[in-house]
């Protein structure tokens, strides 16, 4: 039998709620992006660049990627905690995953704003 130490009230509620909120953000962005592409007309470079020319779409896209990274972090972290028993291996996997996700988010910002 596996026992889990519960520390205080609402254990896990923040992560559960965070995943639900990020899922809603990603769903709303997906719908908004789909509408933008449908009304774009011909799919060419100029129209594609025009879609992202405004600051709102860039911000919304960055918010999508930030939500995706947090959503992925919570999910992967829970998988590691459930299935990787050696603490040292789990710590290394946590660190590598977190660094990769932060790097991906930085890369998304670089692409969006040409930093």
């Amino acid at each position: 039998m596996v026992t889990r130490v519960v520390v205080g009230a609402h254990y896990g509620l923040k992560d559960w709620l965070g995943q639900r909120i990020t899922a809603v953000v990603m769903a709303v962005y997906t719908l908004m992006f789909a509408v933008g592409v449908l009304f774009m007309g011909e799919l060419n470079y100029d129209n594609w660049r025009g879609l992202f020319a405004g600051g709102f779409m860039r911000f919304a896209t960055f918010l999508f990627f930030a939500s995706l990274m947090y959503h992925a972090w919570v999910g992967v972290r829970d998988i590691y905690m459930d299935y990787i028993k050696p603490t040292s291996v789990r710590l290394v996997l946590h660190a590598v995953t977190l660094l990769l996700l932060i790097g991906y988010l930085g890369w998304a910002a670089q692409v969006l704003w040409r930093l």
Side-chain angles (χ1 to χ4, degrees), residues 28-39:
V28 168
Y29 174 81
T30 301
L31 291 174
M32 184 178 68
F33 180 77
V35 168
V37 169
L38 285 174
F39 288 110

Side-chain angles (χ1 to χ4, degrees), residues 24-106:
V24 169
V25 168
M26 290 186 293
V28 168
Y29 174 81
T30 301
L31 291 174
M32 184 178 68
F33 180 77
V35 168
V37 169
L38 285 174
F39 288 110
M40 189 181 341
E42 183 182 346
L43 290 177
N44 58 32
Y45 178 76
D46 292 329
N47 289 342
W48 192 257
R49 187 170 177 169
L51 179 64
F52 288 94
F56 174 76
M57 193 62 178
R58 285 182 185 178
F59 174 75
T61 303
F62 184 75
L63 184 61
F64 170 83
F65 278 107
S67 297
L68 179 65
M69 296 308 141
Y70 181 77
H71 193 90
W73 166 247
V74 171
V76 170
R77 187 201 64 202
D78 286 350
I79 290 170
Y80 290 162
M81 288 191 317
D82 288 344
Y83 297 108
I84 308 296
K85 297 305 176 191
T87 306
S88 58
V89 174
R90 191 175 18 179
L91 179 63
V92 168
L93 287 173
H94 279 168
V96 168
T97 301
L98 190 59
L99 290 173
L100 282 172
L101 291 173
I102 290 170
Y104 295 150
L105 187 59

